[in-house]
Amino acid sequence: MSDELQTLTQRALEEVSTSGDLKALDRLRVHYLGRKGLVTERLKSLGALPPAERREAGRAANEAKQRLERAFASRKRELAESAASRRAAQERIDVGLPGRGGDCGALHPVTQTLRRIRRFFLRAGFEVAEGPEIEDDFHNFEALNIPPHHPARAMHDTFYLEDGRLLRTHTSPVQIRVMKQRPPPLRVIAPGRVYRCDSDMTHSPMFHQVEALAVDENVSFADLKCIVETFLRSFFDDQGLTVRFRPSYFPFTEPSAEVDIQDGRGGWLEVMGCGMVHPNVLHAVGCDASRWSGYALGLGIERMAMLRYGVRDLRLLFENDLRFLKQFGR
Amino acid sequence: MKFCSSWIEEWLKTPVEPQALAETLTMAGLEVDKLSPAAAPSSGVVVGHVRHVAAHPNAERLKLCEVDAGGAKPVTVVCGADNVHEDAFVPFAPVGAWVNGLEIGEAEIRGVVSRGMLCSAAELGLEETSAGLLELDEPVAAGTDFTEYMKLDDTVFELDLTPNRADCFSVLGIARELAVIRGFQLEPPRQDAVAAAHARRFPVQVAEPRACPRYLARIAENVDSAARTPLWMKERLRRSGVRAVHPVVDVMNYVMLELGQPLHAFDLDKLEERIEVRYARSGESIEIIGGGRLEPDQRTLLIADARGPVALAGIIGGGGSAVSESTRNVLIECAFFSPQAVVGRARSYGLHTEASLRFERGVDRSLQRHALERACELLEQITGGEFGEVEEVAAPEPEPRSIGLRHDALVHRLGVEVDRSSASRILTHLGCRMRPCKGGWRCTPPPHRFDLEIEEDLIEEVGRIYGYDKITGGVSTVAVQAGEPLETARERNDRWSDRLVERGYFEVITYSFVEPEILAEFDRTPPLALTNAVSPATSVMRTSLWPGLLKTLQHNLNRQQERVRIFEAGRCFAGRDERLMLAGLVHGGVRPEQWGEASRACDFYDLKGDVESLFAGSPTPVYERSTHRGLHPGQAADVVLDGKRIGCLGALSPPVAQRLGVSREVFLFELDLGALPPPGVARFEAISPYPSVRRDISIAVPPGVGAERIAACIRGLGLGLLRDIVFFDVYEDEKMEEGRKSMALGLIFQDVSSTLSDEVCAKLVDKVVAALSQSLKINLRN
């Protein structure tokens, strides 16, 4: 390579490496490699050389040109990157300010509790059944072994409609409807609203229950205990939960029990009632009590929700105060 | 039912620890509601003997008493009670004693130093109020510890008895149950029958032997109505929640509490000729004890004399024949009324008595003679008197019923191997007669366990006494069954709720009964009304969820909540129809207040977007102008799916808002979830590899034509290449013809097999423009 070309290349490389911005770099590129650039002119002038030298000179000139082009490209990348970095350094925002459009509502705690209970029973092989909230005397009382004037009726303060129908006082009538509809074996739960004309801190004229019913051959009280204990331990996420069954009385089950769980301080909290389906109930739906037996359990969803979320006053659940509901977003 | 542990101890001849007793009873199915001390805490109170009473020198109503409290010298005490007298034995709290939480100190009262206090029952916390000092019945050594003397260190139990355990409505019943469970010996108090002093009987006629299978009556002459009920009896009555009223009545109540058999005492001199047990006749009336006259209906069993009704059988006596201070001669009634004859009657007259409570649930029908003897014995001790012969009218005894019990049924039902001898032992302890037979027993329950009727009753008893806690090892495995479909309407409904939650809505649960006036703003069909509503504001069954949502809005607006987005899913009621509805309400900003964005109030289209989001992926409804009475006439749409109206949405009608007193920017929607088709399955469609082409047109739309019709008109052309229509601008300006508005829409075309050429697209646009012009009089703007 001629000394001249070498000097020119050397100078160009130096200028490229010190050029301060993309505009200056582009000017340099035009100056050296542009159509009338110094290096370009050099290449054009090769034609004037004698053929013997032309080959060698051409190779050298091309090499120099490629070297320069690489230098330009790499310097351009460098400058672009540092320009981006500088720009980025100036684009600081306050990341602590609240975001946009992230607000979410919440399901009512009773619904969340209901779904939790339902999930358990669906996994345990139960189906969900529904029945009307406006019931007749037969399904709400009579078929459940509560004839007129039975003392148990006094425990159900019933709302009546003008046409003689009533608002169901429990979800147990769904048992009757399901058993009348299809033969055993069956496993169903019936969640829903129930009504009693009673209103104070621990009573609401409307609340929710879930009823579970299993009828099969050879269903025993021990099986009932098993599902109840498993359910309560998974509902409260506590495998060590102490559960106790206390003899009690419901007209539609026999034997009957109230179920208590132990709280942290050793006291007992009543959480549900249950028992073996009374043969009179099986008779009422035309089910052969000598072949089939079953268990039924019923629990108040509000009560379970209050225990789970630490709500003390039942009335809060039906005030629908947003400051209350907002605490249950998930 | 209330009772005290000292009474139980007397029957079991063993001390019982109250907490342990409560636990035992609760676990036996006799739920203990409450334990409370029999008296307010006091200490140092002793029996004081009043030796001398003198007038207070400086106060007319006060007295100076010299009280022997067991010390070396009597103490001087100032006392204001009217009934204080010389030689009275009364509770005395000396200086330093604690009475009902107060320490007694020396006090100067009107210039005289009083060293202690003579106490009334109220001051000792035994009664709510009392008229004077609590005077003891008998001389007691002065200085005797009062708490010990009165057995005040006692616990009152309140039992919540289930309807099947009528046998436990007495001290006898509770003690009997405890004897079985804890293996105690049951030792009833010694009882001596009172021999007849004369042969007089009062005639009894039972016209209704089914309602009253047994009626016993006995005359007691020359009773002393002025006698004082002994303090121990008064105390037991008090601790059982019964007020002492008259010595004769107190004895009747005492025996009822002790044995569970209600008794009634008539003033014999006020009865005419005979007792009749019969149903009421029309036109009869009776004045009951405690005042009030009522006319019993013909289903009410009466006790009557020759003149008319003297008592409602098994419920309450008549005022005219009741014992009083002047009563000399008494007729004691001790009867068995069948539960069917009594149940529900007391309630129908608004009455609730200890007697009706017991008779309704059932009384041991073998108990009457025993109870009558017990009452006479106590009466003789307290009021004296000469007793006649017992008059008894009784229907033949029913055969004792025997129930078959199979051992394998017992084991199957309980799910635990209770062996034959244990099962038999448990039932024998409960008083059943057990006759073994093949595979089990014939079991005859004792008369007080009339609740035992079928095999399951016996299985329950065995399980209860064996212990529910010992029944373990059950299984919850389920034979594989199809169960319910994997995708149900319920799951779709849940997803819709979740979607609303994601869009910032809070779920609420409101009462199913609402105020009729508010409901009428939305629905004029007469709703189902409750006959016994708690209040007028909750008296009719809702036909719409909106009244509940609006009430919730009010509640929250009154509590500084500016932005309200709520929904409810619940049933509405019309006739025999129950429909599951989903409704929502929005008010306030479309977003919560944000630092970088101007706030904007919600409008119709925000709400509509929420509704549209629910239908994403399912059949899309059309929205037609609605005339719903509760909605704004210009801003309301019916949601129509497959030609069926399934709901509506819009702004709350301004006049309605005015009447309900709510701020007017409220938007509501309501959908009938039951009317929706079952959730379908998404079907995959091939995605075109070729680019889509968009052509925008600007059109002038005549009044009355809306987006829905424009889109329908374009879709109606059936252009296979049309993928989508986008409305991207809507405005009105004065340059346009009267009432017309301008709309801009983008038509998006795409083919699955080629890239669309400009010519093809232009032809498609021409078709659209021609159709719009022809059927909707819409012309293209330049």
Side-chain angles (χ1 to χ4, degrees), chain B residues 467-649:
Chain B
Y468 281 4
D469 54 326
K470 295 200 203 85
I471 300 174
T472 53
V475 290
S476 69
T477 48
V478 181
V480 174
Q481 52 178 22
E484 59 179 42
L486 295 177
E487 171 72 18
T488 57
R490 188 192 69 242
E491 272 160 338
R492 188 256 329 273
N493 298 343
D494 282 359
R495 271 201 307 276
W496 281 22
S497 291
D498 292 339
R499 206 165 288 171
L500 289 171
V501 166
E502 282 153 21
R503 297 176 77 87
Y505 284 77
F506 286 89
E507 187 194 18
V508 300
I509 296 180
T510 68
Y511 288 150
S512 308
F513 16 68
V514 296
E515 200 170 329
E517 289 73 25
I518 299 181
L519 186 62
E521 295 286 3
F522 302 101
D523 190 351
R524 281 290 163 133
T525 49
L528 294 166
L530 295 174
T531 58
N532 54 341
V534 176
S535 78
T538 53
S539 61
V540 298
M541 300 307 288
R542 64 187 181 186
T543 61
S544 161
L545 301 175
W546 287 350
L549 292 182
L550 284 164
K551 231 179 117 187
T552 306
L553 170 72
Q554 275 306 26
H555 175 94
N556 283 289
L557 289 178
N558 291 343
R559 283 159 187 80
Q560 299 169 291
Q561 304 297 304
E562 306 295 336
R563 182 171 177 268
V564 177
R565 296 166 75 79
I566 50 177
F567 78 97
E568 177 167 15
R571 300 216 190 146
C572 288
F573 307 84
R576 299 246 149 202
D577 207 20
E578 289 184 21
R579 284 168 303 141
L580 182 60
M581 309 286 279
L582 174 70
L585 176 153
V586 295
H587 164 82
V590 67
R591 291 234 182 123
E593 190 180 347
Q594 221 273 342
W595 56 271
E597 213 176 48
S599 62
R600 176 172 72 75
C602 268
D603 64 16
F604 177 86
Y605 298 105
D606 293 313
L607 182 81
K608 188 175 176 190
D610 293 334
V611 172
E612 283 167 339
S613 80
L614 299 178
F615 288 96
S618 22
T620 315
V622 293
Y623 298 84
E624 294 171 357
R625 190 162 294 285
S626 170
T627 55
H628 193 291
R629 57 176 297 109
L631 296 178
H632 189 299
Q635 299 181 20
D638 284 334
V639 184
V640 179
L641 191 64
D642 298 332
K644 199 161 76 173
R645 186 185 171 280
I646 57 160
C648 58
L649 71 154

Side-chain angles (χ1 to χ4, degrees), chain A residues 6-275:
Chain A
Q6 195 153 17
T7 315
L8 183 65
T9 311
Q10 208 52 53
R11 199 177 73 223
L13 285 172
E14 257 164 54
E15 283 175 12
V16 165
S17 70
T18 54
S19 69
D21 59 66
L22 289 167
K23 271 185 189 154
L25 186 67
D26 201 47
R27 278 197 303 274
L28 276 178
R29 196 184 55 75
V30 174
H31 181 67
Y32 291 103
L33 298 175
R35 229 171 331 142
K36 291 185 175 159
L38 297 174
V39 177
T40 316
E41 290 297 323
R42 247 325 116 177
L43 277 166
K44 280 186 198 156
S45 68
L46 287 175
L49 286 177
E53 290 173 37
R54 199 188 296 163
R55 187 184 165 83
E56 178 54 23
R59 196 188 52 77
N62 263 323
E63 222 167 66
K65 184 189 174 195
Q66 278 165 21
R67 211 169 142 206
L68 271 178
E69 277 173 345
R70 278 199 300 275
F72 271 111
S74 114
R75 183 62 185 160
K76 186 175 179 181
R77 224 169 22 246
E78 266 172 47
L79 287 174
E81 271 170 26
S82 79
S85 302
R86 270 198 311 279
R87 206 165 50 241
Q90 287 158 6
E91 291 170 343
R92 277 177 77 94
I93 59 165
D94 181 351
V95 297
L97 278 171
R100 211 168 282 135
D103 70 306
C104 226
L107 287 178
H108 194 282
V110 165
T111 302
Q112 295 189 35
T113 307
L114 190 155
R115 286 195 186 179
R116 185 173 172 85
I117 296 168
R118 204 173 58 191
R119 261 199 311 278
F120 172 87
F121 283 102
L122 285 174
R123 280 183 200 168
F126 286 71
E127 295 171 50
V128 179
E130 284 187 348
E133 289 173 24
I134 299 180
E135 265 295 2
D136 52 33
D137 192 88
F138 174 78
H139 288 92
N140 196 75
F141 291 123
E142 205 86 60
L144 288 162
N145 200 27
I146 316 176
H149 297 306
H150 191 285
R153 289 209 182 197
M155 308 195 297
H156 295 236
D157 293 308
T158 313
F159 281 115
Y160 287 94
L161 296 178
E162 278 155 351
D163 61 9
R165 289 184 297 158
L166 48 87
L167 301 190
R168 65 178 178 193
T169 56
H170 46 183
T171 42
S172 306
V174 186
Q175 280 184 28
I176 303 300
R177 292 185 178 273
V178 169
M179 288 194 283
K180 269 174 37 182
Q181 237 165 51
R182 51 199 166 115
L186 31 95
R187 282 172 184 75
V188 291
I189 59 165
R193 292 186 178 203
V194 299
Y195 306 86
R196 297 198 190 166
C197 42
D198 205 350
S199 186
D200 59 40
M201 210 176 121
T202 51
H203 296 93
S204 160
M206 180 192 90
F207 55 103
H208 297 74
Q209 284 186 339
V210 177
E211 185 91 0
L213 170 77
V215 182
D216 208 332
E217 279 165 335
N218 273 329
V219 174
S220 74
F221 191 77
D223 300 336
L224 167 64
K225 277 192 71 178
C226 176
I227 190 118
V228 167
E229 284 170 358
T230 314
F231 164 70
L232 288 172
R233 289 180 183 142
S234 56
F235 182 88
F236 289 107
D237 280 328
D238 178 1
Q239 286 312 304
L241 186 73
T242 310
V243 179
R244 114 182 153 174
F245 282 67
R246 192 156 45 71
S248 188
Y249 171 80
F250 305 105
F252 35 94
T253 52
E254 179 145 43
S256 303
E258 298 257 24
V259 183
D260 301 336
I261 57 169
Q262 197 157 37
D263 63 19
R265 296 177 308 280
W268 294 98
L269 300 166
E270 190 176 309
V271 288
M272 68 168 93
C274 61

Side-chain angles (χ1 to χ4, degrees), chain B residues 372-390:
Chain B
L372 181 61
E373 280 174 1
R374 176 73 171 145
C376 293
E377 181 195 19
L378 290 168
L379 215 51
E380 189 184 43
Q381 286 167 16
I382 295 164
T383 62
E386 293 103 44
F387 293 78
E389 297 280 359
V390 175

